Amino acid sequence: MTSQPTLTKPEDDPGKPGDPGTPGDSGLQAGLKNRHLSMIAIGGVIGAGLFVGSSSGIATAGPGILLSYALVGTLVVLVMRMLGEMSAANPTSGSFSAHADRALGPWAGFTIGWLYWFFWVVVLAVEATAGAAILEGWIPAVPQWGWALIVMVVLTATNLVSVGSYGEFEFWFAGIKVVAIGAFIVVGGLAVFGVLPGVDSDQAGLANLTEHGGFLPNGAGAILTGILLVVFSFMGSEIATLAAGESEDPQRAVTKATNSIIWRIGVFYLGSILVVVCLLPWDSKSITEDGSYVAALDSLGIAHAGQIMNFIVLTSVLSCLNSGLYTASRMAFSLGRRGDAPKSFARTTERGVPRTAILVSVVFGFVAVFFNYKFPDSVFLFLVNSSGAVALFVWLVICFSQLRMRKIIEAEAPEKLVVRMWLYPYLTWASAALIVFVLGYMLTDTEHDGRTTMLLSLLVAAIVLVIAVVKQRVAGRRAEDRDEIPAG
């Protein structure tokens, strides 16, 4: 019978935020202010996928895509509540990976940590390429690969300076996204109710929700397909819990981010998508041709709608790149601290920056960018598809970690349960069941490559899991050999 894991383990502690940093020694520092964490938490749920990927969801499910967003949004709220419970009790740069290590075992922390790192270095390439395409359209004298290189180098330098510089950049990137989407909701909402001065939109109105084939023009099954199309745009909600370990007041930051997730998803996702499907008929060709948000702005007669949205998307891309590099490096740092990655990953500069972890992450990001330009339909497509289901794997691991970690916290430090999962353990099990259902449904989706994504993601996960199990067994045998050596 194995002993129950403890709430904290010395070898896992990434160093207390605020400790004076010495190169390669003490760990991360508290360089993020509360305003940084607040905006990171808000901006984390507004990814470029919301602006770019929503059009395919609307075309597939019609106005019923609102139900798809509502279901996934509810799931994210529940998962974030579980993660908030664990992170508020024990803030750490490894977040759910460190919690899985303690609750489920080293194999779980190793597997989900490396899969999450893999996901974000691939995202670096995807976002760098998307941003470069926009910038090349504005300044064609610089080739697309040149813009991708410039963007990656600038944001790498930002992350290398200090965590405070990352926080400051993200504060303004996220701020622009929040203001832009807030303005879109207000302006669009006024147009829907016919009270926007100077705008005459005959197409706008709540009738668009039920006309043109009804609220579910393609049937109830389209809601499930819509879930597959929108679920990955929610990835990033958990970044605030990783960043909390480097904040002035980690527990307060995690609690605030967790408690505000409901209105953030409700306003930015459901609110903005509701405005889009009210401004235009869901089957309007402009939604698929121009993108949902550009088409909505065009319908209001707003000049240069395409360029305005390109600027907003570029801001979202830069925000995602900035956070992606930060997130990948902090996960690599945590893996290094736990012995699941080279020890050099856990070394920090005098400013508390894990320089090696950042550089290794960005190098793999550059390699992925190269594959995107050189082998877009083979190697890069494999990378994208094989990391596609990682979000769901992460959420599932969070569910099972919380089921075990709640008992550990209650036994060892019940006063740390400042954030509690609602209706524990019933909602946790319900969330896990829904995630498993979505994973299973992906295997039936051949139209939108869901099956390919799922199979390749499972393949990569299986490979990492095998490595984790072998590593754990080797470590166990070495420990047994050391115990057998006679003293003296």
Side-chain angles (χ1 to χ4, degrees):
M1 185 175 180
T2 57
S3 60
Q4 196 172 45
T6 57
L7 182 59
T8 58
K9 297 192 297 185
E11 63 269 26
D12 289 347
D13 187 4
K16 295 178 181 178
D19 287 349
T22 56
D25 186 17
S26 69
L28 308 177
Q29 293 184 350
L32 293 176
K33 297 179 172 60
N34 287 330
R35 66 181 178 89
H36 293 154
L37 259 295
S38 297
M39 198 56 76
I40 288 170
I42 295 173
V45 298
I46 311 174
L50 173 62
F51 300 109
V52 179
S54 56
S55 56
S56 58
I58 294 172
T60 299
I65 195 65
L66 287 166
L67 296 180
S68 301
Y69 273 104
L71 285 170
V72 179
T74 300
L75 178 60
V76 172
V77 168
L78 295 176
V79 170
M80 279 295 294
R81 186 73 182 185
M82 299 175 217
L83 183 55
E85 176 182 291
M86 296 184 289
S87 295
N90 186 28
T92 171
S93 62
S95 188
F96 52 84
S97 174
H99 302 321
D101 184 283
R102 292 162 189 157
L104 305 177
W107 63 270
F110 179 99
T111 303
I112 205 64
W114 277 113
L115 285 175
Y116 192 68
W117 178 86
F118 173 58
F119 170 84
W120 279 109
V121 294
V122 173
V123 166
L124 291 180
V126 174
E127 301 295 340
T129 304
I134 294 174
L135 289 167
E136 186 191 28
W138 293 343
I139 309 176
V142 179
Q144 194 177 80
W145 67 264
W147 279 119
L149 180 65
I150 291 170
V151 167
M152 291 276 278
V153 168
V154 170
L155 292 180
T156 300
T158 300
N159 276 265
L160 285 172
V161 172
S162 69
V163 68
S165 62
Y166 154 73
E168 200 62 35
F169 267 69
E170 190 57 23
F171 177 82
W172 292 106
F173 285 151
I176 292 172
K177 287 192 294 184
V178 169
V179 170
I181 202 166
F184 174 82
I185 292 172
V186 171
V187 172
L190 292 174
V192 168
F193 291 103
V195 293
L196 184 65
V199 171
D200 182 20
S201 178
D202 296 331
Q203 299 181 90
L206 294 175
N208 283 327
L209 293 174
T210 53
E211 293 180 353
H212 308 280
F215 185 71
L216 295 172
N218 296 323
I223 297 173
L224 295 177
T225 306
I227 287 176
L228 301 185
L229 295 174
V230 307
V231 67
F232 305 110
S233 66
F234 284 84
M235 193 67 166
S237 305
E238 68 290 331
I239 292 177
T241 64
L242 278 93
E246 294 175 82
S247 68
E248 298 168 338
D249 187 349
Q251 191 177 76
R252 178 177 178 271
V254 169
T255 304
K256 188 176 180 180
T258 303
N259 290 338
S260 63
I261 187 72
I262 298 176
W263 73 261
R264 286 186 275 134
I265 288 177
V267 171
F268 296 124
Y269 276 86
L270 291 177
S272 64
I273 295 297
L274 176 62
V275 168
V276 170
V277 294
C278 285
L279 286 176
L280 284 169
W282 70 271
D283 54 356
S284 172
K285 290 183 178 179
S286 59
I287 289 180
T288 52
E289 292 175 357
D290 303 326
S292 53
Y293 288 82
V294 172
L297 291 175
D298 275 334
S299 73
L300 300 178
I302 295 177
H304 310 295
Q307 292 303 322
I308 292 173
M309 191 51 59
N310 273 341
F311 173 74
I312 297 170
V313 171
L314 177 62
T315 303
S316 296
V317 163
L318 294 177
S319 171
C320 191
L321 263 173
N322 196 35
S323 289
L325 182 52
Y326 171 84
T327 305
S329 64
R330 267 39 177 198
M331 185 57 71
F333 170 85
S334 178
L335 289 166
R337 294 290 291 193
R338 302 199 306 269
D340 290 336
K343 291 182 179 178
S344 59
F345 284 22
R347 296 196 185 111
T348 57
T349 66
E350 65 278 358
R351 291 177 176 265
V353 174
R355 181 162 48 198
T356 302
I358 291 174
L359 292 176
V360 169
S361 299
V362 81
V363 163
F364 275 87
F366 276 125
V367 170
V369 169
F370 169 77
F371 285 144
N372 192 13
Y373 286 107
K374 193 70 175 176
F375 311 107
D377 299 322
S378 54
V379 179
F380 187 70
L381 186 61
F382 169 82
L383 292 176
V384 172
N385 284 333
S386 60
S387 64
V390 167
L392 292 168
F393 295 163
V394 167
W395 296 346
L396 191 60
V397 167
I398 289 173
C399 291
F400 289 125
S401 297
Q402 190 265 339
L403 286 170
R404 187 89 188 277
M405 188 62 80
R406 165 65 79 90
K407 297 176 182 178
I408 298 170
I409 301 172
E410 286 179 336
E412 298 184 357
E415 72 280 0
K416 291 188 175 182
L417 276 173
V418 293
V419 176
R420 288 177 176 266
M421 176 58 185
W422 306 297
L423 297 178
Y424 167 85
Y426 307 109
L427 273 182
T428 303
W429 280 112
S431 301
L434 179 57
I435 295 169
V436 171
F437 174 78
V438 173
L439 289 170
Y441 187 74
M442 285 182 70
L443 291 172
T444 69
D445 176 41
T446 55
E447 184 179 354
H448 302 96
D449 295 328
R451 185 175 184 178
T452 301
T453 297
M454 187 62 199
L455 291 174
L456 290 178
S457 296
L458 284 173
L459 173 64
V460 171
I463 293 172
V464 178
L465 179 58
V466 168
I467 295 172
V469 172
V470 170
K471 177 183 176 297
Q472 187 171 341
R473 288 186 177 180
V474 169
R477 287 173 184 171
R478 286 177 179 173
E480 290 176 2
D481 291 341
R482 285 195 299 268
D483 292 340
E484 291 174 1
I485 297 176

